[in-house]
């Protein structure tokens, strides 16, 4: 059973940057696509970004395109989310997830393992 542990969240001013990390335990990390989702208070969990097994394919939600970058280091079993030009509306708990195959996806149901989340707060 894979364990995913997110880190890097915190409080930042609008316009600032944060880099989230998600460390995966276990074997075969490089065989799976990964994704980042977020959930704001009172809202449903939503897709943010996804990456395929080797990092050759990425996809972003329109709301973060051009500001966020997903990447992975298979040697370190880690996936990252670089967040630049943060806005107050980016405030949420951010979750890392492993997909059910080597592809990246956008639907929650295509991800079988989830981390506990890390809080990101953006002050205006």
């Amino acid at each position: 059973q894979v364990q995913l542990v997110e880190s890097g969240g915190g409080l930042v001013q609008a316009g600032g940057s944060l880099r989230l990390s998600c460390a995966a335990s276990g074997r075969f990390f490089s065989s799976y696509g990964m994704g980042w989702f977020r959930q704001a208070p009172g809202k449903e969990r939503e897709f943010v970004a996804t990456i395929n097994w080797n990092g050759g394919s990425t996809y972003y939600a329109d709301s973060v395109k051009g500001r966020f970058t997903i990447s992975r280091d298979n040697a370190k079993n880690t996936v990252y989310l670089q967040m630049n030009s943060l806005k107050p509306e980016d405030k949420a708990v951010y979750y890392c997830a492993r997909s059910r195959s080597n592809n990246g996806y956008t639907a929650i149901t295509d991800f079988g393992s989830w981390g506990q989340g890390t809080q990101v707060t953006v002050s205006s």
Side-chain angles (χ1 to χ4, degrees), residues 19-91:
R19 188 176 83 153
L20 305 184
S21 299
C22 171
S25 66
R27 302 166 65 188
F28 309 119
F29 172 78
S30 61
S31 298
Y32 291 90
M34 299 293 295
W36 286 96
F37 290 76
R38 65 187 182 186
Q39 188 166 17
K43 295 189 176 182
E44 294 186 349
R45 192 170 299 189
E46 65 175 5
F47 167 76
V48 174
T50 191
I51 189 167
N52 74 332
W53 67 280
N54 67 354
S57 177
T58 58
Y59 188 76
Y60 300 90
D62 287 343
S63 58
V64 307
K65 200 173 296 182
R67 301 187 296 122
F68 291 10
T69 302
I70 188 171
S71 62
R72 66 189 298 161
D73 185 339
N74 286 343
K76 296 182 178 180
N77 279 17
T78 301
V79 63
Y80 304 98
L81 185 68
Q82 178 66 44
M83 305 186 296
N84 298 330
S85 302
L86 282 160
K87 304 175 181 180
E89 52 262 43
D90 294 318
K91 175 184 175 180

Side-chain angles (χ1 to χ4, degrees), residues 1-7 21-26 29 32-36 72 77-79 94-99 111-118:
Q1 184 75 6
V2 66
Q3 285 190 324
L4 304 173
V5 179
E6 301 96 336
S7 62
S21 299
C22 171
S25 66
F29 172 78
Y32 291 90
M34 299 293 295
W36 286 96
R72 66 189 298 161
N77 279 17
T78 301
V79 63
Y94 283 71
Y95 296 92
C96 166
R98 191 184 78 172
S99 84
F111 292 82
S113 300
W114 294 82
Q116 293 300 306
T118 186

